PDB file of all heavy atoms in Angstrom:
ATOM      1  N   ASP A   1    -130.303 -28.345 -64.229  1.00  0.00           N
ATOM      2  CA  ASP A   1    -129.244 -28.468 -65.233  1.00  0.00           C
ATOM      3  C   ASP A   1    -129.829 -28.467 -66.637  1.00  0.00           C
ATOM      4  O   ASP A   1    -129.293 -27.839 -67.560  1.00  0.00           O
ATOM      5  CB  ASP A   1    -128.454 -29.758 -65.007  1.00  0.00           C
ATOM      6  CG  ASP A   1    -127.526 -29.678 -63.812  1.00  0.00           C
ATOM      7  OD1 ASP A   1    -127.350 -28.568 -63.262  1.00  0.00           O
ATOM      8  OD2 ASP A   1    -126.970 -30.720 -63.423  1.00  0.00           O
ATOM      9  N   ASP A   2    -130.940 -29.204 -66.813  1.00  0.00           N
ATOM     10  CA  ASP A   2    -131.587 -29.279 -68.122  1.00  0.00           C
ATOM     11  C   ASP A   2    -132.072 -27.907 -68.565  1.00  0.00           C
ATOM     12  O   ASP A   2    -131.862 -27.492 -69.714  1.00  0.00           O
ATOM     13  CB  ASP A   2    -132.754 -30.265 -68.045  1.00  0.00           C
ATOM     14  CG  ASP A   2    -133.423 -30.482 -69.397  1.00  0.00           C
ATOM     15  OD1 ASP A   2    -132.791 -30.233 -70.429  1.00  0.00           O
ATOM     16  OD2 ASP A   2    -134.591 -30.915 -69.405  1.00  0.00           O
ATOM     17  N   LEU A   3    -132.711 -27.175 -67.673  1.00  0.00           N
ATOM     18  CA  LEU A   3    -133.252 -25.865 -68.022  1.00  0.00           C
ATOM     19  C   LEU A   3    -132.133 -24.870 -68.341  1.00  0.00           C
ATOM     20  O   LEU A   3    -132.276 -24.044 -69.251  1.00  0.00           O
ATOM     21  CB  LEU A   3    -134.125 -25.332 -66.888  1.00  0.00           C
ATOM     22  CG  LEU A   3    -135.476 -26.040 -66.684  1.00  0.00           C
ATOM     23  CD1 LEU A   3    -136.193 -25.471 -65.473  1.00  0.00           C
ATOM     24  CD2 LEU A   3    -136.344 -25.900 -67.932  1.00  0.00           C
ATOM     25  N   ALA A   4    -131.037 -24.942 -67.610  1.00  0.00           N
ATOM     26  CA  ALA A   4    -129.913 -24.042 -67.887  1.00  0.00           C
ATOM     27  C   ALA A   4    -129.340 -24.321 -69.274  1.00  0.00           C
ATOM     28  O   ALA A   4    -129.043 -23.391 -70.043  1.00  0.00           O
ATOM     29  CB  ALA A   4    -128.835 -24.211 -66.810  1.00  0.00           C
ATOM     30  N   ALA A   5    -129.187 -25.600 -69.596  1.00  0.00           N
ATOM     31  CA  ALA A   5    -128.682 -25.961 -70.924  1.00  0.00           C
ATOM     32  C   ALA A   5    -129.686 -25.582 -72.006  1.00  0.00           C
ATOM     33  O   ALA A   5    -129.305 -25.124 -73.091  1.00  0.00           O
ATOM     34  CB  ALA A   5    -128.376 -27.457 -70.977  1.00  0.00           C
ATOM     35  N   LEU A   6    -130.970 -25.751 -71.714  1.00  0.00           N
ATOM     36  CA  LEU A   6    -132.003 -25.414 -72.685  1.00  0.00           C
ATOM     37  C   LEU A   6    -132.011 -23.915 -72.979  1.00  0.00           C
ATOM     38  O   LEU A   6    -132.161 -23.501 -74.132  1.00  0.00           O
ATOM     39  CB  LEU A   6    -133.371 -25.854 -72.175  1.00  0.00           C
ATOM     40  CG  LEU A   6    -134.558 -25.572 -73.100  1.00  0.00           C
ATOM     41  CD1 LEU A   6    -134.409 -26.335 -74.413  1.00  0.00           C
ATOM     42  CD2 LEU A   6    -135.869 -25.948 -72.410  1.00  0.00           C
ATOM     43  N   ASP A   7    -131.851 -23.098 -71.956  1.00  0.00           N
ATOM     44  CA  ASP A   7    -131.817 -21.647 -72.169  1.00  0.00           C
ATOM     45  C   ASP A   7    -130.687 -21.263 -73.124  1.00  0.00           C
ATOM     46  O   ASP A   7    -130.851 -20.384 -73.985  1.00  0.00           O
ATOM     47  CB  ASP A   7    -131.643 -20.920 -70.838  1.00  0.00           C
ATOM     48  CG  ASP A   7    -132.944 -20.832 -70.047  1.00  0.00           C
ATOM     49  OD1 ASP A   7    -134.014 -21.043 -70.646  1.00  0.00           O
ATOM     50  OD2 ASP A   7    -132.892 -20.557 -68.832  1.00  0.00           O
ATOM     51  N   ALA A   8    -129.541 -21.912 -72.980  1.00  0.00           N
ATOM     52  CA  ALA A   8    -128.413 -21.613 -73.865  1.00  0.00           C
ATOM     53  C   ALA A   8    -128.734 -22.004 -75.308  1.00  0.00           C
ATOM     54  O   ALA A   8    -128.379 -21.290 -76.252  1.00  0.00           O
ATOM     55  CB  ALA A   8    -127.160 -22.357 -73.382  1.00  0.00           C
ATOM     56  N   VAL A   9    -129.426 -23.121 -75.485  1.00  0.00           N
ATOM     57  CA  VAL A   9    -129.790 -23.570 -76.828  1.00  0.00           C
ATOM     58  C   VAL A   9    -130.853 -22.652 -77.429  1.00  0.00           C
ATOM     59  O   VAL A   9    -130.758 -22.237 -78.593  1.00  0.00           O
ATOM     60  CB  VAL A   9    -130.295 -25.021 -76.787  1.00  0.00           C
ATOM     61  CG1 VAL A   9    -130.924 -25.420 -78.124  1.00  0.00           C
ATOM     62  CG2 VAL A   9    -129.149 -25.971 -76.442  1.00  0.00           C
ATOM     63  N   LEU A  10    -131.867 -22.310 -76.629  1.00  0.00           N
ATOM     64  CA  LEU A  10    -132.961 -21.485 -77.140  1.00  0.00           C
ATOM     65  C   LEU A  10    -132.506 -20.071 -77.479  1.00  0.00           C
ATOM     66  O   LEU A  10    -133.142 -19.386 -78.289  1.00  0.00           O
ATOM     67  CB  LEU A  10    -134.097 -21.431 -76.124  1.00  0.00           C
ATOM     68  CG  LEU A  10    -134.793 -22.762 -75.811  1.00  0.00           C
ATOM     69  CD1 LEU A  10    -135.932 -22.548 -74.812  1.00  0.00           C
ATOM     70  CD2 LEU A  10    -135.315 -23.433 -77.078  1.00  0.00           C
ATOM     71  N   ALA A  11    -131.422 -19.635 -76.869  1.00  0.00           N
ATOM     72  CA  ALA A  11    -130.911 -18.295 -77.155  1.00  0.00           C
ATOM     73  C   ALA A  11    -130.463 -18.149 -78.605  1.00  0.00           C
ATOM     74  O   ALA A  11    -130.324 -17.029 -79.111  1.00  0.00           O
ATOM     75  CB  ALA A  11    -129.744 -17.974 -76.217  1.00  0.00           C
ATOM     76  N   GLN A  12    -130.258 -19.273 -79.303  1.00  0.00           N
ATOM     77  CA  GLN A  12    -129.863 -19.221 -80.711  1.00  0.00           C
ATOM     78  C   GLN A  12    -131.037 -18.869 -81.622  1.00  0.00           C
ATOM     79  O   GLN A  12    -130.830 -18.380 -82.737  1.00  0.00           O
ATOM     80  CB  GLN A  12    -129.301 -20.577 -81.143  1.00  0.00           C
ATOM     81  CG  GLN A  12    -128.152 -21.110 -80.305  1.00  0.00           C
ATOM     82  CD  GLN A  12    -127.824 -22.555 -80.661  1.00  0.00           C
ATOM     83  OE1 GLN A  12    -128.150 -23.039 -81.740  1.00  0.00           O
ATOM     84  NE2 GLN A  12    -127.178 -23.247 -79.740  1.00  0.00           N
ATOM     85  N   ALA A  13    -132.257 -19.137 -81.181  1.00  0.00           N
ATOM     86  CA  ALA A  13    -133.429 -19.044 -82.059  1.00  0.00           C
ATOM     87  C   ALA A  13    -133.640 -17.652 -82.669  1.00  0.00           C
ATOM     88  O   ALA A  13    -133.929 -17.546 -83.870  1.00  0.00           O
ATOM     89  CB  ALA A  13    -134.678 -19.505 -81.312  1.00  0.00           C
ATOM     90  N   PRO A  14    -133.543 -16.548 -81.902  1.00  0.00           N
ATOM     91  CA  PRO A  14    -133.815 -15.238 -82.503  1.00  0.00           C
ATOM     92  C   PRO A  14    -132.867 -14.857 -83.638  1.00  0.00           C
ATOM     93  O   PRO A  14    -133.196 -13.983 -84.456  1.00  0.00           O
ATOM     94  CB  PRO A  14    -133.663 -14.277 -81.315  1.00  0.00           C
ATOM     95  CG  PRO A  14    -133.933 -15.119 -80.123  1.00  0.00           C
ATOM     96  CD  PRO A  14    -133.347 -16.450 -80.448  1.00  0.00           C
ATOM     97  N   ALA A  15    -131.690 -15.484 -83.702  1.00  0.00           N
ATOM     98  CA  ALA A  15    -130.718 -15.151 -84.749  1.00  0.00           C
ATOM     99  C   ALA A  15    -130.943 -15.943 -86.037  1.00  0.00           C
ATOM    100  O   ALA A  15    -130.295 -15.668 -87.052  1.00  0.00           O
ATOM    101  CB  ALA A  15    -129.299 -15.399 -84.240  1.00  0.00           C
ATOM    102  N   VAL A  16    -131.852 -16.908 -86.011  1.00  0.00           N
ATOM    103  CA  VAL A  16    -132.093 -17.753 -87.186  1.00  0.00           C
ATOM    104  C   VAL A  16    -132.749 -16.930 -88.295  1.00  0.00           C
ATOM    105  O   VAL A  16    -133.720 -16.209 -88.057  1.00  0.00           O
ATOM    106  CB  VAL A  16    -132.984 -18.960 -86.819  1.00  0.00           C
ATOM    107  CG1 VAL A  16    -133.493 -19.665 -88.067  1.00  0.00           C
ATOM    108  CG2 VAL A  16    -132.212 -19.925 -85.934  1.00  0.00           C
ATOM    109  N   ARG A  17    -132.208 -17.055 -89.507  1.00  0.00           N
ATOM    110  CA  ARG A  17    -132.799 -16.405 -90.680  1.00  0.00           C
ATOM    111  C   ARG A  17    -132.965 -17.373 -91.847  1.00  0.00           C
ATOM    112  O   ARG A  17    -133.721 -17.093 -92.769  1.00  0.00           O
ATOM    113  CB  ARG A  17    -131.929 -15.227 -91.139  1.00  0.00           C
ATOM    114  CG  ARG A  17    -131.916 -14.050 -90.181  1.00  0.00           C
ATOM    115  CD  ARG A  17    -133.297 -13.423 -90.024  1.00  0.00           C
ATOM    116  NE  ARG A  17    -133.300 -12.287 -89.112  1.00  0.00           N
ATOM    117  CZ  ARG A  17    -133.477 -12.397 -87.799  1.00  0.00           C
ATOM    118  NH1 ARG A  17    -133.655 -13.594 -87.245  1.00  0.00           N
ATOM    119  NH2 ARG A  17    -133.488 -11.326 -87.041  1.00  0.00           N
ATOM    120  N   HIS A  18    -132.271 -18.495 -91.807  1.00  0.00           N
ATOM    121  CA  HIS A  18    -132.306 -19.407 -92.944  1.00  0.00           C
ATOM    122  C   HIS A  18    -132.471 -20.854 -92.466  1.00  0.00           C
ATOM    123  O   HIS A  18    -132.240 -21.167 -91.291  1.00  0.00           O
ATOM    124  CB  HIS A  18    -131.041 -19.254 -93.791  1.00  0.00           C
ATOM    125  CG  HIS A  18    -130.868 -17.869 -94.330  1.00  0.00           C
ATOM    126  ND1 HIS A  18    -131.689 -17.339 -95.307  1.00  0.00           N
ATOM    127  CD2 HIS A  18    -129.984 -16.882 -94.004  1.00  0.00           C
ATOM    128  CE1 HIS A  18    -131.320 -16.106 -95.572  1.00  0.00           C
ATOM    129  NE2 HIS A  18    -130.297 -15.790 -94.803  1.00  0.00           N
ATOM    130  N   VAL A  19    -132.865 -21.720 -93.385  1.00  0.00           N
ATOM    131  CA  VAL A  19    -133.230 -23.093 -93.044  1.00  0.00           C
ATOM    132  C   VAL A  19    -132.074 -23.852 -92.405  1.00  0.00           C
ATOM    133  O   VAL A  19    -132.274 -24.616 -91.455  1.00  0.00           O
ATOM    134  CB  VAL A  19    -133.739 -23.833 -94.297  1.00  0.00           C
ATOM    135  CG1 VAL A  19    -133.766 -25.335 -94.078  1.00  0.00           C
ATOM    136  CG2 VAL A  19    -135.131 -23.355 -94.671  1.00  0.00           C
ATOM    137  N   ASP A  20    -130.861 -23.667 -92.909  1.00  0.00           N
ATOM    138  CA  ASP A  20    -129.733 -24.396 -92.331  1.00  0.00           C
ATOM    139  C   ASP A  20    -129.496 -23.993 -90.882  1.00  0.00           C
ATOM    140  O   ASP A  20    -129.132 -24.833 -90.039  1.00  0.00           O
ATOM    141  CB  ASP A  20    -128.474 -24.202 -93.170  1.00  0.00           C
ATOM    142  CG  ASP A  20    -128.088 -22.745 -93.344  1.00  0.00           C
ATOM    143  OD1 ASP A  20    -128.960 -21.868 -93.206  1.00  0.00           O
ATOM    144  OD2 ASP A  20    -126.902 -22.476 -93.634  1.00  0.00           O
ATOM    145  N   GLU A  21    -129.728 -22.729 -90.562  1.00  0.00           N
ATOM    146  CA  GLU A  21    -129.593 -22.271 -89.174  1.00  0.00           C
ATOM    147  C   GLU A  21    -130.720 -22.842 -88.313  1.00  0.00           C
ATOM    148  O   GLU A  21    -130.496 -23.208 -87.151  1.00  0.00           O
ATOM    149  CB  GLU A  21    -129.617 -20.748 -89.130  1.00  0.00           C
ATOM    150  CG  GLU A  21    -128.458 -20.101 -89.881  1.00  0.00           C
ATOM    151  CD  GLU A  21    -128.652 -18.615 -90.114  1.00  0.00           C
ATOM    152  OE1 GLU A  21    -129.798 -18.123 -89.974  1.00  0.00           O
ATOM    153  OE2 GLU A  21    -127.667 -17.937 -90.438  1.00  0.00           O
ATOM    154  N   ALA A  22    -131.927 -22.909 -88.862  1.00  0.00           N
ATOM    155  CA  ALA A  22    -133.042 -23.502 -88.132  1.00  0.00           C
ATOM    156  C   ALA A  22    -132.770 -24.973 -87.847  1.00  0.00           C
ATOM    157  O   ALA A  22    -133.067 -25.479 -86.758  1.00  0.00           O
ATOM    158  CB  ALA A  22    -134.334 -23.348 -88.933  1.00  0.00           C
ATOM    159  N   TRP A  23    -132.193 -25.668 -88.814  1.00  0.00           N
ATOM    160  CA  TRP A  23    -131.858 -27.076 -88.631  1.00  0.00           C
ATOM    161  C   TRP A  23    -130.914 -27.254 -87.443  1.00  0.00           C
ATOM    162  O   TRP A  23    -131.118 -28.119 -86.588  1.00  0.00           O
ATOM    163  CB  TRP A  23    -131.221 -27.622 -89.911  1.00  0.00           C
ATOM    164  CG  TRP A  23    -130.823 -29.064 -89.831  1.00  0.00           C
ATOM    165  CD1 TRP A  23    -129.720 -29.597 -89.212  1.00  0.00           C
ATOM    166  CD2 TRP A  23    -131.540 -30.181 -90.378  1.00  0.00           C
ATOM    167  NE1 TRP A  23    -129.692 -30.960 -89.348  1.00  0.00           N
ATOM    168  CE2 TRP A  23    -130.800 -31.351 -90.063  1.00  0.00           C
ATOM    169  CE3 TRP A  23    -132.715 -30.303 -91.122  1.00  0.00           C
ATOM    170  CZ2 TRP A  23    -131.220 -32.626 -90.453  1.00  0.00           C
ATOM    171  CZ3 TRP A  23    -133.129 -31.573 -91.511  1.00  0.00           C
ATOM    172  CH2 TRP A  23    -132.386 -32.713 -91.176  1.00  0.00           C
ATOM    173  N   GLN A  24    -129.872 -26.424 -87.379  1.00  0.00           N
ATOM    174  CA  GLN A  24    -128.907 -26.519 -86.289  1.00  0.00           C
ATOM    175  C   GLN A  24    -129.567 -26.262 -84.935  1.00  0.00           C
ATOM    176  O   GLN A  24    -129.258 -26.944 -83.944  1.00  0.00           O
ATOM    177  CB  GLN A  24    -127.767 -25.537 -86.520  1.00  0.00           C
ATOM    178  CG  GLN A  24    -126.894 -25.878 -87.724  1.00  0.00           C
ATOM    179  CD  GLN A  24    -125.861 -24.808 -88.019  1.00  0.00           C
ATOM    180  OE1 GLN A  24    -125.705 -23.836 -87.268  1.00  0.00           O
ATOM    181  NE2 GLN A  24    -125.132 -24.967 -89.109  1.00  0.00           N
ATOM    182  N   CYS A  25    -130.480 -25.299 -84.880  1.00  0.00           N
ATOM    183  CA  CYS A  25    -131.164 -24.979 -83.629  1.00  0.00           C
ATOM    184  C   CYS A  25    -132.065 -26.129 -83.183  1.00  0.00           C
ATOM    185  O   CYS A  25    -132.068 -26.513 -82.013  1.00  0.00           O
ATOM    186  CB  CYS A  25    -131.964 -23.689 -83.809  1.00  0.00           C
ATOM    187  SG  CYS A  25    -132.672 -23.026 -82.281  1.00  0.00           S
ATOM    188  N   VAL A  26    -132.820 -26.681 -84.112  1.00  0.00           N
ATOM    189  CA  VAL A  26    -133.699 -27.815 -83.793  1.00  0.00           C
ATOM    190  C   VAL A  26    -132.870 -29.030 -83.397  1.00  0.00           C
ATOM    191  O   VAL A  26    -133.210 -29.754 -82.455  1.00  0.00           O
ATOM    192  CB  VAL A  26    -134.606 -28.134 -84.999  1.00  0.00           C
ATOM    193  CG1 VAL A  26    -135.314 -29.470 -84.821  1.00  0.00           C
ATOM    194  CG2 VAL A  26    -135.631 -27.016 -85.185  1.00  0.00           C
ATOM    195  N   GLN A  27    -131.780 -29.246 -84.091  1.00  0.00           N
ATOM    196  CA  GLN A  27    -130.899 -30.373 -83.779  1.00  0.00           C
ATOM    197  C   GLN A  27    -130.353 -30.269 -82.352  1.00  0.00           C
ATOM    198  O   GLN A  27    -130.300 -31.261 -81.615  1.00  0.00           O
ATOM    199  CB  GLN A  27    -129.752 -30.405 -84.779  1.00  0.00           C
ATOM    200  CG  GLN A  27    -128.829 -31.604 -84.680  1.00  0.00           C
ATOM    201  CD  GLN A  27    -127.786 -31.582 -85.769  1.00  0.00           C
ATOM    202  OE1 GLN A  27    -127.104 -30.576 -85.978  1.00  0.00           O
ATOM    203  NE2 GLN A  27    -127.653 -32.677 -86.493  1.00  0.00           N
ATOM    204  N   ALA A  28    -129.960 -29.066 -81.958  1.00  0.00           N
ATOM    205  CA  ALA A  28    -129.434 -28.868 -80.608  1.00  0.00           C
ATOM    206  C   ALA A  28    -130.499 -29.128 -79.552  1.00  0.00           C
ATOM    207  O   ALA A  28    -130.224 -29.717 -78.497  1.00  0.00           O
ATOM    208  CB  ALA A  28    -128.880 -27.445 -80.464  1.00  0.00           C
ATOM    209  N   GLN A  29    -131.741 -28.701 -79.816  1.00  0.00           N
ATOM    210  CA  GLN A  29    -132.822 -28.953 -78.861  1.00  0.00           C
ATOM    211  C   GLN A  29    -133.112 -30.439 -78.716  1.00  0.00           C
ATOM    212  O   GLN A  29    -133.324 -30.942 -77.612  1.00  0.00           O
ATOM    213  CB  GLN A  29    -134.083 -28.217 -79.301  1.00  0.00           C
ATOM    214  CG  GLN A  29    -134.023 -26.714 -79.157  1.00  0.00           C
ATOM    215  CD  GLN A  29    -135.347 -26.061 -79.462  1.00  0.00           C
ATOM    216  OE1 GLN A  29    -136.354 -26.333 -78.815  1.00  0.00           O
ATOM    217  NE2 GLN A  29    -135.372 -25.199 -80.467  1.00  0.00           N
ATOM    218  N   LEU A  30    -133.132 -31.151 -79.838  1.00  0.00           N
ATOM    219  CA  LEU A  30    -133.447 -32.569 -79.780  1.00  0.00           C
ATOM    220  C   LEU A  30    -132.321 -33.358 -79.118  1.00  0.00           C
ATOM    221  O   LEU A  30    -132.572 -34.327 -78.382  1.00  0.00           O
ATOM    222  CB  LEU A  30    -133.721 -33.105 -81.184  1.00  0.00           C
ATOM    223  CG  LEU A  30    -134.495 -34.423 -81.253  1.00  0.00           C
ATOM    224  CD1 LEU A  30    -135.866 -34.279 -80.596  1.00  0.00           C
ATOM    225  CD2 LEU A  30    -134.668 -34.873 -82.688  1.00  0.00           C
ATOM    226  N   ALA A  31    -131.080 -32.937 -79.352  1.00  0.00           N
ATOM    227  CA  ALA A  31    -129.956 -33.595 -78.695  1.00  0.00           C
ATOM    228  C   ALA A  31    -130.023 -33.408 -77.186  1.00  0.00           C
ATOM    229  O   ALA A  31    -129.739 -34.337 -76.415  1.00  0.00           O
ATOM    230  CB  ALA A  31    -128.640 -33.040 -79.238  1.00  0.00           C
ATOM    231  N   LEU A  32    -130.419 -32.223 -76.745  1.00  0.00           N
ATOM    232  CA  LEU A  32    -130.560 -31.984 -75.308  1.00  0.00           C
ATOM    233  C   LEU A  32    -131.710 -32.807 -74.741  1.00  0.00           C
ATOM    234  O   LEU A  32    -131.600 -33.376 -73.642  1.00  0.00           O
ATOM    235  CB  LEU A  32    -130.787 -30.498 -75.045  1.00  0.00           C
ATOM    236  CG  LEU A  32    -130.892 -30.091 -73.571  1.00  0.00           C
ATOM    237  CD1 LEU A  32    -129.620 -30.429 -72.814  1.00  0.00           C
ATOM    238  CD2 LEU A  32    -131.211 -28.597 -73.446  1.00  0.00           C
ATOM    239  N   ALA A  33    -132.819 -32.885 -75.464  1.00  0.00           N
ATOM    240  CA  ALA A  33    -133.943 -33.713 -75.014  1.00  0.00           C
ATOM    241  C   ALA A  33    -133.509 -35.166 -74.871  1.00  0.00           C
ATOM    242  O   ALA A  33    -133.984 -35.880 -73.978  1.00  0.00           O
ATOM    243  CB  ALA A  33    -135.105 -33.604 -75.998  1.00  0.00           C
ATOM    244  N   HIS A  34    -132.603 -35.604 -75.731  1.00  0.00           N
ATOM    245  CA  HIS A  34    -132.098 -36.975 -75.641  1.00  0.00           C
ATOM    246  C   HIS A  34    -131.307 -37.179 -74.347  1.00  0.00           C
ATOM    247  O   HIS A  34    -131.414 -38.222 -73.703  1.00  0.00           O
ATOM    248  CB  HIS A  34    -131.223 -37.284 -76.849  1.00  0.00           C
ATOM    249  CG  HIS A  34    -130.694 -38.684 -76.868  1.00  0.00           C
ATOM    250  ND1 HIS A  34    -131.472 -39.764 -77.201  1.00  0.00           N
ATOM    251  CD2 HIS A  34    -129.464 -39.177 -76.569  1.00  0.00           C
ATOM    252  CE1 HIS A  34    -130.748 -40.870 -77.119  1.00  0.00           C
ATOM    253  NE2 HIS A  34    -129.529 -40.535 -76.743  1.00  0.00           N
ATOM    254  N   GLN A  35    -130.520 -36.193 -73.967  1.00  0.00           N
ATOM    255  CA  GLN A  35    -129.718 -36.318 -72.756  1.00  0.00           C
ATOM    256  C   GLN A  35    -130.578 -36.423 -71.504  1.00  0.00           C
ATOM    257  O   GLN A  35    -130.185 -37.067 -70.525  1.00  0.00           O
ATOM    258  CB  GLN A  35    -128.783 -35.118 -72.631  1.00  0.00           C
ATOM    259  CG  GLN A  35    -127.699 -35.052 -73.690  1.00  0.00           C
ATOM    260  CD  GLN A  35    -126.819 -33.829 -73.510  1.00  0.00           C
ATOM    261  OE1 GLN A  35    -126.501 -33.424 -72.384  1.00  0.00           O
ATOM    262  NE2 GLN A  35    -126.421 -33.226 -74.615  1.00  0.00           N
ATOM    263  N   TYR A  36    -131.760 -35.790 -71.533  1.00  0.00           N
ATOM    264  CA  TYR A  36    -132.655 -35.790 -70.364  1.00  0.00           C
ATOM    265  C   TYR A  36    -133.997 -36.424 -70.722  1.00  0.00           C
ATOM    266  O   TYR A  36    -135.035 -36.014 -70.214  1.00  0.00           O
ATOM    267  CB  TYR A  36    -132.865 -34.360 -69.874  1.00  0.00           C
ATOM    268  CG  TYR A  36    -131.636 -33.746 -69.253  1.00  0.00           C
ATOM    269  CD1 TYR A  36    -130.708 -33.064 -70.035  1.00  0.00           C
ATOM    270  CD2 TYR A  36    -131.392 -33.852 -67.885  1.00  0.00           C
ATOM    271  CE1 TYR A  36    -129.572 -32.495 -69.472  1.00  0.00           C
ATOM    272  CE2 TYR A  36    -130.260 -33.290 -67.318  1.00  0.00           C
ATOM    273  CZ  TYR A  36    -129.363 -32.609 -68.113  1.00  0.00           C
ATOM    274  OH  TYR A  36    -128.236 -32.051 -67.545  1.00  0.00           O
ATOM    275  N   ARG A  37    -133.977 -37.458 -71.552  1.00  0.00           N
ATOM    276  CA  ARG A  37    -135.219 -38.008 -72.079  1.00  0.00           C
ATOM    277  C   ARG A  37    -136.114 -38.631 -71.022  1.00  0.00           C
ATOM    278  O   ARG A  37    -137.320 -38.725 -71.216  1.00  0.00           O
ATOM    279  CB  ARG A  37    -134.933 -39.023 -73.193  1.00  0.00           C
ATOM    280  CG  ARG A  37    -134.039 -40.173 -72.802  1.00  0.00           C
ATOM    281  CD  ARG A  37    -133.547 -40.906 -74.057  1.00  0.00           C
ATOM    282  NE  ARG A  37    -132.639 -42.010 -73.761  1.00  0.00           N
ATOM    283  CZ  ARG A  37    -131.333 -41.865 -73.581  1.00  0.00           C
ATOM    284  NH1 ARG A  37    -130.799 -40.666 -73.636  1.00  0.00           N
ATOM    285  NH2 ARG A  37    -130.570 -42.907 -73.343  1.00  0.00           N
TER     286      ARG A  37
END
């Protein structure tokens, strides 16, 4: 379950071009890590 959710989050990374988008991507990864800490 964790890996499936992680794949969905990581799929956002190639579209990042600006800092605010990078922030959202990192935030999503850390939130998922919290759920499966």
